[in-house]
Amino acid sequence: MSRDLLPFAAFRSIGAYAPEKILTNFDLEKMIDTSDEWIVKRTGIKERRIAADDEFTSDMGAKAAEIAIERANISRKDIDLVLCATVTPDYFNMPSTACIVSHKLGIRDVQALDISAACSGFVYLLTIAKAFIESGMKKNVLVVGAEKFSSIVDWTDRITCILFGDGAGAAIISATQNKEESFIDVHASADGSYADFLMTPAPGSVNPMSQKTLDEGLNFVQMKGSETFKLAVKTLTRDVKEILAKNNIKPEDIPHFIPHQANYRIIKAVGDALRMRDEQVVLTVHKYGNTSAASIPMAINDLYESGNLKYGELMLLDTFGGGLTWASALLPYVGNKYTHD
Ligand code: COA
């Protein structure tokens, strides 16, 4: 097929799901040696959502996906690829959460796969969706970022347990012949030499599940906090400067900067380095904490449901996570205007 006939990838819709249960900093004060004041000052987080015991990553992903599909005005039968980004899958390591999400949505006989890129997962999926669509292989890709991070958090470790939350976000990426609607650029990268900055050491081939791994808490997320913080600011800033320069776009011309929601201080440092005005930067970290692969789509959804995301407006996505992974994207939102569903 000549390139002239091949379609472009377009961001058609967004949906999200946040579990009902809210865990506030004041609740955490009763569980560990911490304070609302410390958490707000160091992270900007006030509360996070926690999934119910019988609510799993695939349930949250499927709920977000249902909304995204409806808002894209397509039928489930139109979806020809299901991608899920998560580091808290329903099962380690099979079946994939994407298979279970597909099943819960009644999507059959369609390729479904998971990727593991931690907090960069959703933007990583955009690169994959774009490649499938622009090669002509698929037409409507469902991308889901979903996490039950509470399932891998040690609730006695005050350094990590204050940071994370549960939730899901989903989008429909569709083929278009209209170049104006297409992604402008997506970029993703990785550096495994920082693998131990953020990791769950077990279960896996290095540390198969055993009484010893459980006793040592190796199934919980472990993090080098201040090293991760510094690397996050440096990497996010560099990455976003590069994608803007490459596409000849100035930071002040971006209406919606949607960074990974890990820590308000990281977001502020990156925003300041780019001289972004407050109203350009989308913030949800105060109410959801860090929801890893769900963080960016949940933030896009918040912007959408505020009524401030209109057809054709440019979004700049910028993310960073365990691996080390990082990714950025420049793309217009080309879906419907929000009306109360
Ligand atoms: N409540 C109260 N005190 C706490 C605490 C908590 N929840 N967690 C740590 N502390 C204490 C530490 O024990 C330390 O005490 P000490 O000085 O007596 O030893 C002090 O606070 C400072 O700890 P430090 O780790 O240096 O704090 P920090 O300013 O680096 O903030 C993080 C800690 C985790 C908030 C910060 O490093 C961070 O956000 N890192 C990036 C994490 C991240 O975004 N990860 C995901 C990337 S996708």
Side-chain angles (χ1 to χ4, degrees):
M1 209 187 289
S2 114
R3 181 67 191 92
D4 294 346
L5 298 174
L6 287 171
F8 300 98
F11 194 104
R12 280 280 173 235
S13 70
I14 187 74
Y17 171 78
E20 235 169 76
K21 183 180 168 190
I22 296 174
L23 185 73
T24 67
N25 293 346
F26 298 106
D27 296 326
L28 284 170
E29 283 181 0
K30 295 178 199 134
M31 296 160 58
I32 46 165
D33 179 15
T34 193
S35 67
D36 172 61
E37 193 193 350
W38 192 96
I39 300 173
V40 171
K41 195 167 158 216
R42 304 282 177 131
T43 70
I45 301 168
K46 293 184 178 149
E47 57 189 43
R48 68 286 292 143
R49 300 297 181 97
I50 304 295
D53 289 346
D54 60 353
E55 187 172 44
F56 310 117
T57 300
S58 63
D59 295 315
M60 295 186 278
K63 282 182 180 157
E66 271 177 31
I67 299 168
I69 294 166
E70 198 185 315
R71 288 176 178 167
N73 284 325
I74 60 170
S75 143
R76 293 171 197 211
K77 291 198 186 82
D78 299 325
I79 292 167
D80 49 10
L81 178 62
V82 177
L83 302 174
C84 183
T86 184
V87 287
T88 50
D90 282 15
Y91 302 100
F92 287 100
N93 291 328
M94 62 181 153
S96 74
T97 302
C99 283
I100 303 169
V101 168
S102 298
H103 173 65
K104 287 182 175 165
L105 292 170
I107 296 173
R108 283 175 189 277
D109 300 330
V110 162
Q111 182 179 356
L113 65 107
D114 282 3
I115 65 144
S116 166
C119 305
S120 307
F122 184 79
V123 186
Y124 259 61
L125 290 188
L126 295 183
T127 68
I128 300 169
K130 175 176 161 41
F132 268 102
I133 286 173
E134 298 193 352
S135 64
M137 284 177 71
K138 306 288 178 189
K139 288 193 173 60
N140 291 298
V141 183
L142 169 62
V143 294
V144 179
E147 302 282 10
K148 186 170 179 175
F149 223 91
S150 60
S151 66
I152 58 164
V153 159
D154 175 355
W155 290 101
T156 65
D157 175 12
R158 68 175 182 172
I159 295 171
T160 51
C161 79
I162 58 156
L163 297 174
F164 297 98
D166 300 336
I172 296 292
I173 312 301
S174 296
T176 179
Q177 291 298 337
N178 180 356
K179 190 166 186 333
E180 300 285 302
E181 292 189 325
S182 92
F183 289 17
I184 295 175
D185 205 354
V186 280
H187 170 261
S189 197
D191 184 346
S193 66
Y194 295 105
D196 63 344
F197 273 36
L198 197 58
M199 73 186 314
T200 45
S205 64
V206 174
N207 297 303
M209 179 80 82
S210 67
Q211 193 55 51
K212 185 167 175 287
T213 62
L214 290 175
D215 291 345
E216 291 175 1
L218 300 185
N219 51 315
F220 295 126
V221 65
Q222 298 181 0
M223 183 183 71
K224 293 187 174 172
S226 62
E227 291 92 333
T228 306
F229 186 98
K230 286 178 212 140
L231 197 59
V233 173
K234 200 169 96 185
T235 309
L236 286 165
T237 307
R238 186 192 61 215
D239 197 32
V240 92
K241 278 186 175 169
E242 277 174 12
I243 198 168
L244 287 173
K246 189 176 153 211
N247 292 284
N248 266 322
I249 296 175
K250 296 197 188 87
E252 61 264 34
D253 295 333
I254 295 291
H256 307 297
F257 176 44
I258 304 154
H260 172 45
Q261 307 286 317
N263 181 320
Y264 175 69
R265 283 160 59 217
I266 297 177
I267 297 171
K268 176 91 176 99
V270 176
D272 286 352
L274 295 162
R275 302 216 175 104
M276 290 268 187
R277 302 178 305 281
D278 285 353
E279 64 271 21
Q280 290 176 275
V281 185
V282 176
L283 278 179
T284 56
V285 69
H286 56 290
K287 57 180 182 177
Y288 298 139
N290 181 349
T291 57
S292 184
S295 140
I296 293 239
M298 288 176 85
I300 298 174
N301 187 67
D302 247 57
L303 174 68
Y304 175 74
E305 292 189 355
S306 72
N308 289 321
L309 183 61
K310 315 231 165 49
Y311 179 92
E313 284 182 347
L314 205 53
M315 302 186 287
L316 172 62
L317 316 181
D318 191 19
T319 187
F320 169 96
L324 188 83
T325 56
W326 63 95
S328 55
L330 254 176
L331 68 171
Y333 167 76
V334 289
N336 291 339
K337 190 173 171 352
Y338 178 65
T339 48
H340 294 276
D341 309 271

